[in-house]
Amino acid sequence: MDDSQTMKILVIDDEQDIREGCVRVLKRIKGCEVSSAPNGTEGLGVLQKEFFPVVLLDLKMPGLDGMEVLQEIKKMEGREILVIIITGFATVETAIEAMKHGAYDFIPKPFDPTQLRIVVERALDKIRLTREAEMLELERQKTLADLDTEKSRISAIVKSLPIGVVVTNNAGQVVLMNPSFKNLLGLDAGRVPGEDISSYVPDQGFCDLVNEISRCDVIEDSEESTYELVLDGNKFLMTRGRPVLTESGDCLGAVVTLGDISSIRILDQLKSEFVAKVSHELRSPLSTIHEQLGVVLKDMGEDVDAQEDQYILSRAKEKTSGLISLIGDLLDLSRIESGGLAHNIQRVPLDELLKSIVDFLGARAKAKDQTLSLSLDGDSFPPLTADPLALESVFGNLVTNAINYTGEGGRIEVSMSMESGLLRVAVADNGYGIEERHQAKIFEKFYRVKDENTRFITGTGLGLPIVKGLVEQLGGEIRLDSAPGKGTTFTVLLPVEKQHAV
Ligand code: ADP
């Protein structure tokens, strides 16, 4: 039992027998420390120095009598002392008198140990209950104080966050915005929340997203939606939003953060320009070397003595052709990143374009003993308005990948259909497949999966980023469905109506 739970009792009585008897009986109560004083003056002296929550006080004593001592005790400041009066004149009057002066209880003389214990234990119980109530109250106050500090701490943190934060309710009205948000959007520092998100952000795409998240329409609690907000054509903000849900899953609204990525975008642009420039400079000399190697190899003919040189030169020719295709990919990519390949926009019948790709790559598939087929679900398809080279690049890359990442004797099927006003082209293979953890990453530049199947396949890791970039410029989307060991299907959906940039 710790000190705070020890109950100290003081017995003030001039009769030695009673005093010592009380001490003996009370010491047996668990957790009690008992002291005694032979008269009122000494008793008060002890109480001045030390706190005793329970005092047993004889009424009739020489010198200061019990009633006077009681009055003095009641005047003492600090925690409450429960006084139990011991009286030989147990009359109703004395009891009332003592109670009037603030005694807690009384016990008539003569009393036996059990009676004494009962009265004292009742007092001790009351003290314990009072202490518990005090503790609870203290705890409640502390929790309230903590909550208060927590609230102001969180609000200070949100205010000083370097990223913009905006919170909406489930009707899409702004309930909180921090200074960074106002700053990024060029809003007045004094602008207050309360209006619809569209009053603060002049961008339909962003507002649609915020409204959808606010209603918790589109995404699960764990998912995050992103949107790139471009202001005045030169300020790029990456926005990320999540719904705010209660523990029971009710939708409270949305929380959206905004980060300024303008410098990253500018760097990206500079990098693309640099890569485009370097690639361009390298392409002609490399093509010349490639051609000249071809000429030298041809001149060497079937010369048996020069077989080793021929091997070295043909390896060099292979490498230059790899470099030329890398340069081609880099140039395509930087053109896409700088806003499109809009050279030769025309009406393109996609079914015919696919037929020619399948014919052209058929030889490559045949070399691996693969079947490459095209199936058209329908007789006529509306033409697309686009640069045919861009479309060739998209489907050429996908079919080449299907051939590359499918083993000998595999099957590749290109199918085309119309789906809710969109042209749908699927390139399906029964090849190596792609593990889930790589699936999002393969659309990133230079990302290649290296495992025992793909280790020896050469490539640049730029094909799919080019495909994705082009499909997005065509206003469409690309989906991937793949299972390791079973195969892969890339599905491209393209709108027919849109006037395409590429
Ligand atoms: P590259 O083919 O030059 O490596 P891509 O960007 O075209 O670059 O493809 C990236 C990666 O995606 C490839 O390295 C390969 O691991 C994987 N991949 C692409 N297409 C397929 C496919 N049809 N089946 C299996 N893996 C594929």
Side-chain angles (χ1 to χ4, degrees):
M1 185 171 292
D2 68 42
D3 234 27
S4 63
Q5 285 173 298
T6 308
M7 292 288 190
K8 287 187 173 166
I9 303 173
L10 178 65
V11 183
I12 308 174
D13 199 317
D14 58 321
E15 285 176 67
Q16 194 179 355
D17 291 353
I18 296 195
R19 204 168 61 233
E20 288 174 358
C22 285
V23 172
R24 233 185 354 263
V25 170
L26 297 178
K27 267 190 172 161
R28 280 191 226 122
I29 300 179
K30 203 167 163 243
C32 280
E33 264 178 31
V34 193
S35 305
S36 64
N39 56 55
T41 317
E42 273 191 42
L44 285 174
V46 174
L47 288 172
Q48 299 292 353
K49 288 193 215 115
E50 220 180 317
F51 173 68
F52 285 80
V54 179
V55 172
L56 266 93
L57 177 63
D58 186 18
L59 259 195
K60 196 164 167 298
M61 290 185 292
L64 277 181
D65 77 1
M67 210 60 90
E68 285 167 308
V69 177
L70 174 63
Q71 282 168 13
E72 287 306 312
I73 290 177
K74 288 291 140 189
K75 278 190 218 153
M76 285 181 174
E77 286 183 359
R79 288 152 75 187
E80 193 193 10
I81 298 173
L82 296 188
V83 180
I84 300 167
I85 298 293
I86 305 171
T87 172
F89 323 93
T91 61
V92 175
E93 286 76 33
T94 46
I96 291 174
E97 186 65 13
M99 294 305 201
K100 259 195 202 157
H101 286 93
Y104 170 68
D105 207 347
F106 73 96
I107 178 163
K109 284 185 198 170
F111 50 82
D112 62 29
T114 316
Q115 283 172 310
L116 177 66
R117 279 184 72 123
I118 289 172
V119 173
V120 170
E121 271 175 356
R122 200 161 51 213
L124 294 177
D125 280 348
K126 171 167 191 294
I127 290 166
R128 281 192 199 102
L129 281 174
T130 313
R131 281 187 187 173
E132 266 174 40
E134 280 169 6
M135 293 285 288
L136 284 174
E137 175 60 16
L138 267 178
E139 215 139 89
R140 195 182 69 88
Q141 303 239 358
K142 191 172 158 297
T143 320
L144 282 177
D146 280 356
L147 275 178
D148 230 31
T149 348
E150 196 58 36
K151 219 168 110 185
S152 47
R153 196 183 299 154
I154 289 173
S155 130
I157 292 171
V158 173
K159 266 192 190 146
S160 45
L161 276 175
I163 52 165
V165 177
V166 61
V167 182
T168 54
N169 61 17
N170 57 13
Q173 285 157 340
V174 173
V175 291
L176 182 153
M177 48 188 177
N178 73 349
S180 294
F181 173 81
K182 295 182 200 172
N183 197 14
L184 285 169
L185 269 298
L187 297 171
D188 213 52
R191 190 79 188 266
V192 288
E195 294 164 54
D196 197 83
I197 184 71
S198 54
S199 316
Y200 305 90
V201 187
D203 184 287
Q204 193 58 42
F206 175 80
C207 294
D208 287 348
L209 181 89
V210 171
N211 283 321
E212 275 173 4
I213 305 174
S214 299
R215 292 190 301 266
C216 306
D217 268 2
V218 276
I219 46 178
E220 295 290 310
D221 178 28
S222 56
E223 286 174 15
E224 145 185 308
S225 289
T226 55
Y227 177 80
E228 196 171 317
L229 177 61
V230 186
L231 296 175
D232 308 325
N234 60 5
K235 195 171 186 180
F236 299 86
L237 304 178
M238 179 50 83
T239 71
R240 297 173 193 281
R242 296 262 306 261
V244 184
L245 301 174
T246 62
E247 275 189 12
S248 52
D250 293 335
C251 180
L252 295 181
V255 55
V256 181
T257 62
L258 290 84
D260 192 344
I261 53 162
S262 306
S263 51
I264 300 174
R265 282 283 165 271
I266 291 167
L267 262 178
D268 252 9
Q269 213 172 319
L270 289 174
K271 194 188 68 198
S272 291
E273 280 167 22
F274 173 76
V275 170
K277 213 171 171 141
V278 173
S279 309
H280 194 74
E281 293 299 320
L282 285 174
R283 188 154 68 172
S284 327
L286 258 174
S287 303
T288 313
I289 296 171
H290 186 75
E291 275 160 30
Q292 286 170 355
L293 282 170
V295 174
V296 175
L297 274 166
K298 203 168 162 209
D299 287 351
M300 284 173 135
E302 300 290 303
D303 187 351
V304 200
D305 297 336
Q307 261 181 358
E308 198 174 325
D309 290 346
Q310 271 177 341
Y311 174 73
I312 294 170
L313 288 179
S314 53
R315 291 278 295 146
K317 191 170 165 250
E318 257 171 49
K319 292 281 172 204
T320 49
S321 109
L323 282 173
I324 290 166
S325 90
L326 172 64
I327 285 171
D329 282 355
L330 285 170
L331 282 172
D332 277 355
L333 207 60
S334 55
R335 272 194 225 111
I336 294 168
E337 284 172 353
S338 67
L341 291 164
H343 294 308
N344 181 18
I345 304 242
Q346 49 184 268
R347 285 163 84 75
V348 187
L350 191 55
D351 44 349
E352 279 171 28
L353 185 122
L354 290 175
K355 265 183 221 155
S356 69
I357 291 175
V358 167
D359 282 349
F360 180 70
L361 292 172
R364 222 190 263 195
K366 210 164 165 208
K368 285 182 84 178
D369 229 355
Q370 297 167 334
T371 46
L372 171 60
S373 61
L374 172 68
S375 80
L376 302 175
D377 183 6
D379 299 332
S380 68
F381 296 93
L384 284 171
T385 313
D387 184 337
L389 284 182
L391 292 168
E392 256 174 49
S393 181
V394 169
F395 297 106
N397 262 305
L398 291 179
V399 178
T400 309
N401 276 351
I403 295 171
N404 284 344
Y405 301 104
T406 299
E408 303 263 329
R411 214 175 48 249
I412 296 138
E413 186 180 20
V414 182
S415 55
M416 180 175 171
S417 58
M418 281 297 287
E419 188 181 291
S420 339
L422 299 171
L423 277 171
R424 177 182 179 282
V425 179
V427 179
D429 63 57
N430 64 348
Y432 307 135
I434 305 161
E435 278 180 63
E436 173 92 38
R437 64 195 169 107
H438 298 300
Q439 291 188 5
K441 295 198 177 135
I442 56 170
F443 292 99
E444 290 169 11
K445 281 177 256 179
F446 301 108
Y447 192 88
R448 308 198 65 226
V449 181
K450 290 253 163 81
D451 57 28
E452 64 271 22
N453 292 320
T454 59
R455 196 175 308 278
F456 299 107
I457 302 171
T458 50
T460 59
L462 290 174
L464 289 178
I466 290 175
V467 170
K468 187 162 189 271
L470 288 171
V471 169
E472 280 170 4
Q473 284 195 7
L474 288 161
E477 65 170 294
I478 181 160
R479 291 178 193 161
L480 165 62
D481 183 20
S482 184
K486 296 213 167 100
T488 303
T489 302
F490 284 96
T491 307
V492 175
L493 294 162
L494 295 172
V496 182
E497 303 299 332
K498 190 170 180 256
Q499 286 304 302
H500 303 295
V502 279

